[in-house]
Structure formats: C-alpha cells, structure tokens
Amino acid sequence: MPRPSFLCLQFDVDPGGARKDAHWIRATLAEIRADLEAELRDGHSLYYLCWYGARLRLHVFQGGAYERSVDLLPLLRVDIDGYPTITFNADGEAEGYDFEDDDYEGSLSGMMFDDDLPPYRCALDWERVAALVPALREPVVDRGELVNVDGEWIDGDAEMDAAALRGAGYLPYGLTDREI
C-alpha cells in the first residue's frame, strides 16, 4: 500500500523553561494557513517565537518520505500597535525590537507571555510559501490516517492498531503536541 503525501507544520522550542513540539498534519496549504493563523492569535506563541527562539517550519512529505522543509520565520512579520515591526532573520532571531533588554514587568515579552498584548497582526508571505511548496502527489493523507514524520515507517503498520502506531511515533491528521 502506498504511503500518503502530506504537509507537516512544526512549531517547536527546545525544552527548558518552555515546552512545545506541535505538529499539524494536513493535506492542503489552506489548512496549514488556517492552523497557523489560529496559533498566532495566542500571545504565548509570539512569546515563544520572539523571545524564546522557537522554530516554525513547514515540512513536505511525498509518498510518506521527507522531501523538503521551508523555514517560515523569515517570511513572518508581526505588527503590534505602538511597537516597531518585528521580522525574523535567517537564523530565526527576532529583529526590529530588542528583546535582550526587555525586562519582564510591563515589557513587550511580558505582555506576550501574559497574552495581554495591544492589537497586533501577523502576516506570513503565503505567496512565497506556495512557490516553495510543491503539489502533493497522490495518495494524499486523509482525516483519520496516521503518518510518520520521523521516516521510520513500520512494515506491516496497516495491521497495527492506532494506539500501537501512536506509541511508535505516528501522528494523526490534525494537531499533536508531543510535549503535552
């Protein structure tokens, strides 16, 4: 049986004071866009990206095999009322606001962490993303399917139950945060 093609949006931060290793398994870029827009409405997510050094990547899997990744941070722009525009360099570091000198109490990073930000907008260059992400080849993942993002597919996995597959690292369609 052929392995499905799929997209995997990964938002993660190295373990330490914060934990996040979220994966959204989807069949379309439109679904990924909706997931990311919803995620970025949470100030905590901005805190992880701007202050904590989180990574935001889109992985493409064709026929179950990893094909490429797109680093989304350099394509992201954050506009917070009353503050300079925040962008990200190729190393994933926030630019436009000095988070190094940010004291928590009443600071921008503190407002992000407390999810108490003034109005803000996040914009990703979706045209650029679409140009970097190839069309998925058939078969494409469907709701209810489990996939493996680590490249360690198990022979005979069609005969295994969902609990065993999840225990082996398979992820379901939709959102999974491995740190929760």
Side-chain angles (χ1 to χ4, degrees), residues 42-44 47-48 104 108-117:
D42 180 358
H44 288 102
Y47 174 79
Y48 291 145
Y104 181 80
L108 183 56
S109 61
M111 287 187 283
M112 288 175 176
F113 185 79
D114 293 336
D115 204 12
D116 189 30
L117 284 166

Side-chain angles (χ1 to χ4, degrees), residues 70-150:
V70 176
D71 184 357
L72 299 178
L73 279 180
L75 306 175
L76 180 64
R77 170 190 171 112
V78 180
D79 291 300
I80 302 170
D81 287 0
Y83 292 88
T85 295
I86 299 168
T87 58
F88 299 85
N89 64 27
D91 294 325
E93 298 164 340
E95 296 182 333
Y97 182 83
D98 187 4
F99 286 96
E100 291 293 320
D101 291 335
D102 211 6
D103 186 19
Y104 181 80
E105 213 48 50
S107 69
L108 183 56
S109 61
M111 287 187 283
M112 288 175 176
F113 185 79
D114 293 336
D115 204 12
D116 189 30
L117 284 166
Y120 69 93
R121 291 148 310 284
C122 296
L124 192 75
D125 185 347
W126 286 103
E127 287 182 24
R128 180 83 174 119
V129 173
L132 296 169
V133 174
L136 295 178
R137 293 191 305 264
E138 294 291 333
V140 177
V141 69
D142 199 5
R143 294 183 190 283
E145 284 189 80
L146 294 167
V147 298
N148 193 299
V149 297
D150 298 323

